[in-house]
Amino acid sequence: MATDREVLRDLWDGKLPVCFVLNDEEVCDLQTPEAFYLMVPRLSYFPLVWDKVRKHFIKHVHADHHDMEMWLDYNGTPLKWHYPIGLLFDLYAYDTQLPWTLTVHFEKFPENILLHCGSREVVESHFMSTLKEADALKHKGQVMNTMQKRDHNQLWLGLQNDKFDQFWSVNKKLMDTSSTDGEFKHIPFRIYCSDEGPFIQKLVKPFTEDSQPKLLQNLIEEIFPDTCKQVCVITHGIELSLDVPLQWMSEHMSYPDNFLHLCIVSNTS
C-alpha cells in the first residue's frame, strides 16, 4: 500500500495533456494555425502555464488584439482561471477522451463570467487568499498568521515552479494537527455539481459529537440531506470511495490551496 507521502507525490505529479486551438473567428491568416499541445499540472492554474500558448497564437490574431486578455473555453463554456486545472477537467470533461481540447480567445472577454487576470500576481493573490481561508477553517488562522513572508513566498514559488519539496516543506505546517487534538476545527471543502451552479461550502467538523471520524458519506449526507441517492464524487480524476475519512482526505487529497475540491459528476440509484 502506498504511504501517505506517496499519495501526496502522486497527486502532485498528475498531469493532463491539453490541445489548445485558436478560435476560428479570430484567425487573421489565410490558414488556421496548428494546434498547440502541452502537458499541464492538474494542481496548477491555467495562467501559470499558458505563456507558451499565448506566444504560439498571438502572431495569428489581429495586431490590435495583441494586448487583449487571453481566455479559454471548453465546448462553449468559459473556463474560470481561478479554479485549479484538475478541478476544471473533472467538472467539465471527466469522461472526455484525451487530449483535452480547449479553445483560445483574445476577443470578447466574458465579463459576466470570468474574473480578470492581468498578471501572475493576480493568481498569487487569489491563491494566498484561499490558503488563508482554509487555515481559518482548520486552525482559526493561527498557522498562516505565524508564518513569515518567506514562508508565503515559498508556498507560492513551489506551486508556480512545480516544486513538490519546496512547497511541502512549508505546507506541512498547514496540515499539522498536533495543536488541535489530532484534527482540524473544520474541513475546508467545496463541492461542485454538474449543473454548473456555484460551489457548495459550509462548516463541517471532521469528527462526530461522539468522537467518531466522519466519512465522505457523512459529508454528502450533510450537504444533500433531502436525497437518499448515492452520488459519484470525483477529485484529482479519481472516483472516491464514500468510506474515506474526511480528516485523512483533507490532509492528503487537498489541492495546494488546502481545499478539497469535490465534483459530483453523476447520480445513481
Side-chain angles (χ1 to χ4, degrees):
M1 180 179 292
T3 65
D4 289 346
R5 185 170 176 83
E6 287 175 332
V7 171
L8 298 176
R9 185 78 209 211
D10 286 346
L11 294 181
W12 184 276
D13 289 340
K15 301 288 193 298
L16 281 170
V18 180
C19 171
F20 297 91
V21 296
L22 182 61
N23 179 29
D24 287 339
E25 297 179 0
E26 300 182 41
V27 178
C28 68
D29 300 332
L30 294 178
Q31 293 184 332
T32 300
E34 293 184 356
F36 187 81
Y37 293 85
L38 198 63
M39 291 292 291
V40 299
R42 275 183 154 269
L43 300 185
S44 190
Y45 299 87
F46 273 121
L48 300 184
V49 301
W50 69 22
D51 285 351
K52 293 180 179 179
V53 180
R54 183 182 183 89
K55 183 177 181 181
H56 178 78
F57 289 119
I58 196 67
K59 57 183 175 288
H60 299 287
V61 301
H62 291 286
D64 56 355
H65 296 155
H66 286 189
D67 293 331
M68 291 186 174
E69 187 169 347
M70 195 176 94
W71 58 282
L72 307 172
D73 88 58
Y74 173 66
N75 284 351
T77 299
L79 297 182
K80 297 177 179 178
W81 65 260
H82 61 288
Y83 283 12
I85 294 172
L87 165 62
L88 289 168
F89 181 81
D90 291 345
L91 186 59
Y92 296 116
Y94 172 68
D95 57 356
T96 299
Q97 184 176 357
L98 295 174
W100 187 22
T101 301
L102 303 180
T103 303
V104 176
H105 297 264
F106 293 91
E107 300 178 14
K108 300 178 181 179
F109 187 88
E111 304 272 354
N112 60 331
I113 299 175
L114 301 183
L115 300 175
H116 282 285
C117 178
S119 67
R120 291 193 173 198
E121 286 74 19
V122 176
V123 187
E124 179 183 4
S125 177
H126 166 75
F127 172 71
M128 296 306 300
S129 176
T130 310
L131 202 61
K132 290 176 182 177
E133 181 181 350
D135 187 49
L137 290 168
K138 292 189 294 185
H139 305 109
K140 296 184 178 181
Q142 295 175 357
V143 178
M144 287 293 289
N145 289 339
T146 58
M147 285 184 178
Q148 298 184 13
K149 178 64 175 177
R150 66 171 180 267
D151 295 320
H152 294 181
N153 289 340
Q154 188 164 329
L155 285 166
W156 169 245
L157 291 174
L159 173 64
Q160 177 181 259
N161 299 325
D162 195 21
K163 301 295 185 182
F164 175 83
D165 292 328
Q166 182 179 21
F167 178 83
W168 270 99
S169 65
V170 178
N171 195 58
K172 64 184 179 182
K173 301 175 185 177
L174 292 166
M175 293 299 176
D176 185 33
T177 60
S178 60
S179 62
T180 53
D181 297 325
E183 63 186 81
F184 298 144
K185 297 294 184 183
H186 299 94
I187 298 295
F189 74 91
R190 291 172 178 172
I191 288 181
Y192 307 78
C193 297
S194 56
D195 62 2
E196 300 182 13
F199 58 73
I200 300 169
Q201 181 177 340
K202 63 184 294 186
L203 293 178
V204 172
K205 293 181 177 295
F207 284 78
T208 64
E209 293 183 359
D210 57 354
S211 300
Q212 296 301 309
K214 285 186 181 179
L215 309 178
L216 179 57
Q217 176 74 50
N218 303 125
L219 173 64
I220 297 302
E221 291 170 351
E222 288 191 42
I223 300 301
F224 305 107
D226 298 326
T227 179
C228 60
K229 293 182 179 180
Q230 296 288 324
V231 296
C232 179
V233 184
I234 304 293
T235 190
H236 303 292
I238 303 166
E239 181 177 344
L240 297 171
S241 169
L242 296 181
D243 62 2
V244 180
L246 289 181
Q247 178 68 41
W248 187 91
M249 282 181 59
S250 189
E251 291 180 47
H252 300 95
M253 301 195 75
S254 293
Y255 275 76
D257 62 10
N258 278 222
F259 269 84
L260 289 169
H261 294 286
L262 308 173
C263 296
I264 308 298
V265 297
S266 65
N267 292 325
T268 57
S269 301

